Amino acid sequence: MVSKRALISLSDKSGILEFAKELELLGYEILSTGGTKAFLEQNGVAITSVDQVTNFPEILDGRVKTLNPMIHGALLAKHDDASHQAQLEEHQITPIQVVCVNLYPFRETISKQDVTFDDAIENIDIGGPSMLRSAAKNHQYVTVVTDASDYEEVLAQLKETGETTLETRRKLAAKVFRHTAAYDALIAGYMTDLTGEEFPELLTLTYERKQSLRYGENPHQQAAFYKRPLGSDFSVASATQLHGKELSYNNIQDANAAIQIVKEFKLPAAVAVKHMNPCGVGTGETISDAFNKAYEADSTSIFGGIVALNREVDAATAKVLAGIFLEIVIAPSFSDDAIAMLTAKKNIRLLTISYEQTKKDAWNTVSVEGGLLVQSPDTYGLKEADVKVVTDREPTAEEWKALELGWSVVKHVKSNAIVVATEDMTIGVGAGQMNRVGSAKIALEQAGERAKGAGLASDAFFPMNDTVEVAAKAGITAIIQTGGSVKDQDSIDKANEYGIAMVFTGVRHFKH
């Protein structure tokens, strides 16, 4: 009986030739099948075909190859169990000590724009996960490798002592179960999407580590950043970093908040964010004009902030950006001149992201202790809202623009939220207060004299008329809010008293 066997079956053959040749030199008989067998044989590795071991041919167009007791018995037998060894001898099964398997490219297949259902189904691997799970279950005796980055360590241990350590086998087994779980999660998601089920009885998600982080929200907290496979292209997780230090936990949170706001705008737009709230938003004819307005909106809070822009950063914009201390600038691209100017600043981080939004995440998720909240994104704008003018006076064309900009921004501000805006920039933001009039006072104080003739947007209804009162005294001439309070008429009457135009949307924009 052969004393050492390795089974190799791969769709991704990166690095396998060298690994197989080293195993061969170490005295392993190598079992393989299909494309892997052909590849290794063409490159001079002696192969025993799996069907020679199973005494059964591949059938059903290759759907059944390794699903056989001669394979799984060899993988699952305990090497120090006399009964197991006796059964192997009785059935003439030779143990397999090393398994090297990766799976059909299901993820790559379903990521193609023109993928068909039949293509997706045929790329659901059955035999591969079964072998991996069998070998990983029996890792006390079997070394199982599914990641090419582990080939070197496995070979080093085999060369040194003739076997891998139990610690290594256990780490490799854990990696296998993570790998097969992620693989099955993608299949489950694909099939669930096909059925149209929005909230299935079991929600199985998978993420892959993009980077380890130095710390979390605070230095005493540990953290890492994970990316969702096949997730949105329009995301920090899919961004390309051109310059600067690695992103921190808080950088990632703030950057995500900034791009969620900037995607609201079709005109050239710039958004400055601090602690996940916008401190300034501006639009203009050019991206330089837009950024200047975002800066003017709150030139104090932008210090140390994150800026997102929806057009290429040109030299004129870069010159202004370079004069301010910023943590991150995010844009679809940077001109050569802009790159030269901004990379002269060592500490600034420059990111590019795809503004095409070819892939979008269908759900937002938020972790709570012991659970996960899942909801659809808040994509409602004025076009979807049931907009009603409820006061005697209707907004002017300029006021409508101010209300629309304020309404686009307020849904990204922590509740209770109030945004004061003109037609092309925010001038005051009140965030996260326990009562609405408190948020209004903060936003109006920030706006100061600029509030005269401006619009005010609220993320939810006014429970009483005090917000209208303070808005009127600050010079606000138009208000947009949800409506729906039992005291709506009090707010309407107060607006009419001051000649304010007020619009109800019927849509709430809470953000906790």
Side-chain angles (χ1 to χ4, degrees):
M1 239 183 191
V2 175
S3 61
K4 293 191 291 188
R5 267 184 169 172
L7 191 155
I8 300 176
S9 179
L10 304 162
S11 58
D12 180 358
K13 299 174 181 58
S14 305
I16 193 54
L17 182 58
E18 296 78 8
F19 186 67
K21 285 184 174 180
E22 291 290 343
L23 288 176
E24 194 175 33
L25 290 172
L26 290 168
Y28 281 84
E29 177 190 13
I30 298 175
L31 313 184
S32 193
T33 186
T36 305
K37 174 179 177 290
F39 172 76
L40 293 175
E41 284 181 330
Q42 287 165 11
N43 286 279
V45 180
I47 299 295
T48 298
S49 178
V50 164
D51 59 17
Q52 291 176 251
V53 175
T54 62
N55 292 314
F56 201 90
E58 293 184 19
I59 62 171
L60 308 179
D61 299 320
R63 283 188 168 198
V64 177
K65 296 185 285 246
T66 57
L67 298 170
N68 188 286
M70 300 300 288
I71 298 298
H72 288 274
L75 295 175
L76 286 164
K78 296 179 179 179
H79 294 190
D80 56 3
D81 186 305
S83 170
H84 282 204
Q85 292 306 304
Q87 290 174 68
L88 291 187
E89 220 172 299
E90 178 186 352
H91 297 289
Q92 297 185 313
I93 299 173
T94 302
I96 297 171
Q97 293 83 11
V98 175
V99 172
C100 183
V101 170
N102 57 44
L103 307 177
Y104 291 174
F106 180 78
R107 171 181 167 181
E108 292 77 6
T109 300
I110 64 171
S111 68
K112 296 174 183 173
Q113 296 264 346
D114 58 350
V115 64
T116 65
F117 174 73
D118 286 345
D119 283 342
I121 293 300
E122 286 308 312
N123 276 279
I124 296 176
D125 203 330
I126 303 300
S130 299
M131 288 188 290
L132 286 175
R133 288 173 62 82
S134 291
K137 175 175 179 173
N138 207 30
H139 70 271
Q140 189 167 348
Y141 315 98
V142 180
T143 302
V144 55
V145 189
T146 193
D147 185 344
S149 67
D150 294 314
Y151 291 166
E152 188 176 342
E153 182 182 358
V154 168
L155 285 173
Q157 291 186 18
L158 291 176
K159 287 176 183 179
E160 185 177 348
T161 65
E163 62 180 5
T164 54
T165 65
L166 178 58
E167 181 185 14
T168 295
R169 293 195 297 276
R170 187 157 290 162
K171 285 181 180 178
L172 293 173
K175 182 179 279 192
V176 161
F177 286 120
R178 292 195 298 269
H179 182 63
T180 56
Y183 191 79
D184 283 340
L186 287 175
I187 296 168
Y190 175 78
M191 296 298 292
T192 301
D193 288 345
L194 287 180
T195 66
E197 288 188 77
E198 292 186 341
F199 298 105
E201 77 290 349
L202 293 173
L203 181 64
T204 309
L205 303 175
T206 185
Y207 293 82
E208 56 194 26
R209 190 178 63 211
K210 181 179 172 71
Q211 69 185 83
S212 296
L213 301 173
R214 286 193 300 145
Y215 53 83
E217 229 166 349
N218 299 290
H220 61 274
Q221 294 172 272
Q222 296 177 312
F225 185 26
Y226 285 80
K227 177 181 178 180
R228 186 172 181 175
L230 307 179
S232 171
D233 291 335
F234 187 78
S235 69
V236 183
S238 296
T240 299
Q241 185 165 347
L242 304 180
H243 176 71
K245 297 182 295 185
E246 281 193 348
L247 299 176
S248 71
Y249 183 99
N250 292 333
N251 287 158
I252 293 164
Q253 290 269 51
D254 286 338
N256 179 63
I259 65 175
Q260 297 310 312
I261 303 170
V262 82
K263 76 178 181 183
E264 296 280 349
F265 298 96
K266 298 209 183 315
L267 287 172
V271 174
V273 162
K274 201 76 173 288
H275 301 297
M276 293 180 67
N277 278 308
C279 56
V281 177
T283 64
E285 293 296 318
T286 65
I287 197 64
S288 178
D289 182 33
F291 176 70
N292 286 335
K293 290 171 184 171
Y295 175 74
E296 289 166 13
D298 187 346
S299 59
T300 301
S301 297
I302 197 174
F303 181 84
I306 279 78
V307 169
L309 308 106
N310 65 357
R311 297 290 193 278
E312 179 174 88
V313 175
D314 55 20
T317 311
K319 186 175 181 180
V320 183
L321 289 166
I324 308 164
F325 170 57
L326 297 171
E327 291 277 357
I328 303 173
V329 178
I330 310 163
S333 58
F334 294 79
S335 72
D336 291 343
D337 288 341
I339 287 281
M341 274 188 267
L342 293 171
T343 54
K345 295 171 67 74
K346 187 172 86 170
N347 292 325
I348 198 169
R349 300 162 176 90
L350 305 181
L351 303 182
T352 59
I353 61 170
S354 169
Y355 278 64
E356 297 300 316
Q357 300 187 60
T358 52
K359 298 177 199 164
K360 299 179 184 179
D361 286 338
W363 303 105
N364 290 336
T365 58
V366 177
S367 63
V368 296
E369 187 162 351
L372 187 75
L373 288 168
V374 181
Q375 68 172 351
S376 59
D378 182 1
T379 58
Y380 270 82
L382 280 186
K383 290 179 182 176
E384 292 82 19
D386 182 18
V387 177
K388 295 176 183 174
V389 177
V390 294
T391 48
D392 296 338
R393 186 174 76 79
E394 290 198 5
T396 65
E398 187 175 295
E399 287 170 340
W400 270 117
K401 289 177 182 178
L403 295 180
E404 186 169 3
L405 189 146
W407 188 248
S408 297
V409 174
V410 77
K411 74 179 185 181
H412 298 281
V413 179
K414 297 288 186 181
S415 299
N416 287 318
I418 296 289
V419 170
V420 180
T422 66
E423 62 179 318
D424 53 11
M425 63 186 286
T426 58
I427 53 176
V429 178
Q433 298 305 299
M434 286 62 73
N435 62 74
R436 193 154 301 281
V437 71
S439 289
K441 286 176 179 176
I442 291 170
L444 291 164
E445 182 181 355
Q446 183 186 357
E449 288 298 308
R450 296 181 296 176
K452 292 176 180 176
L456 181 147
S458 171
D459 65 339
F461 65 62
F462 296 160
M464 51 193 71
N465 64 12
D466 51 1
T467 301
V468 181
E469 180 82 37
V470 297
K473 289 179 178 177
I476 294 294
T477 58
I479 292 173
I480 188 166
Q481 59 137 315
T482 301
S485 168
V486 294
K487 293 186 177 181
D488 272 348
Q489 194 57 51
D490 289 353
S491 292
I492 294 168
D493 291 343
K494 185 64 68 175
N496 282 329
E497 179 185 331
Y498 285 101
I500 292 173
M502 188 155 66
V503 174
F504 283 3
T505 65
V507 177
R508 190 181 72 189
H509 276 320
F510 272 166
K511 184 178 176 63
H512 286 88

